[in-house]
């Protein structure tokens, strides 16, 4: 099955697995998905991930993170820029998610990064998703 919006697919898989309290979730691999997963790991929203080679595309196995009382660390994931409506932002107008408590994942000319790093490097780009 051909998926047109792969970023929305990974976000939906993580959101669904998190609400169902699964320990891990498998996602078809791509470089953009690996970058997004690495950002989620660096920001502390997931426990870890590993790329499993299967001779074809590969699979990213994401280990989800939960608090002590078994509630998910990721309370919200939202796709911002969609294939039908791209949302771009300059570094000055970069959105703050939940007044700085969440992160925005941004695709820039220097790679995929968080909104904070994009402001530091003074680059704008396409706002892919909000995570809180």
């Amino acid at each position: 099955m051909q998926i047109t919006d792969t970023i929305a697919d990974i976000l939906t898989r993580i959101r669904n697995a998190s609400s169902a309290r699964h320990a891990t979730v498998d996602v078809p691999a791509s470089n953009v998905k690996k970058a997004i997963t690495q950002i989620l790991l660096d920001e502390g929203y997931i426990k870890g991930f590993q790329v499993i080679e299967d001779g074809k595309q590969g699979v990213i196995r994401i280990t989800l993170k939960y608090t002590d009382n078994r509630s998910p660390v990721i309370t919200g994931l939202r796709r911002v820029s969609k294939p039908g409506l791209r949302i771009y932002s300059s570094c000055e107008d970069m959105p703050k998610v939940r007044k700085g408590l969440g992160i925005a994942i941004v695709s820039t000319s220097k790679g995929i990064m968080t909104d904070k790093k994009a402001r530091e490097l003074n680059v704008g780009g396409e706002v892919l998703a909000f995570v809180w």
Side-chain angles (χ1 to χ4, degrees):
M1 183 171 112
Q2 181 68 28
I3 299 171
T4 56
D5 192 1
T6 57
I7 297 169
D9 178 57
I10 186 174
L11 297 177
T12 301
R13 286 180 191 231
I14 292 172
R15 188 182 315 113
N16 290 344
S18 180
S19 66
R21 308 288 195 268
H22 289 283
T24 62
V25 60
D26 289 347
V27 180
S30 75
N31 288 335
V32 173
K33 291 178 187 176
K34 289 176 195 171
I36 290 172
T37 310
Q38 184 63 49
I39 288 173
L40 292 176
L41 179 66
D42 294 342
E43 295 294 320
Y45 288 104
I46 60 173
K47 251 190 221 178
F49 73 96
Q50 62 181 359
V51 180
I52 302 166
E53 296 298 329
D54 61 356
K56 295 177 268 185
Q57 184 176 359
V59 174
I60 302 173
R61 180 161 290 148
I62 302 169
T63 307
L64 300 175
K65 191 174 185 181
Y66 296 96
T67 60
D68 292 335
N69 59 355
R70 196 79 177 123
S71 63
V73 171
I74 297 175
T75 56
L77 277 169
R78 198 181 95 201
R79 177 79 158 115
V80 178
S81 184
K82 300 177 176 91
L85 179 63
R86 300 289 185 192
I87 306 294
Y88 295 95
S89 177
S90 65
C91 62
E92 297 87 21
D93 300 329
M94 198 67 64
K96 286 201 180 243
V97 181
R98 302 279 168 142
K99 297 186 180 178
L101 295 177
I103 61 167
I105 299 174
V106 184
S107 176
T108 68
S109 59
K110 299 191 190 256
I112 296 176
M113 60 186 71
T114 64
D115 55 333
K116 290 176 194 159
K117 188 158 185 189
R119 279 191 212 94
E120 287 173 11
L121 296 176
N122 205 22
V123 293
E126 182 182 357
V127 181
L128 299 176
F130 291 155
V131 182
W132 66 91

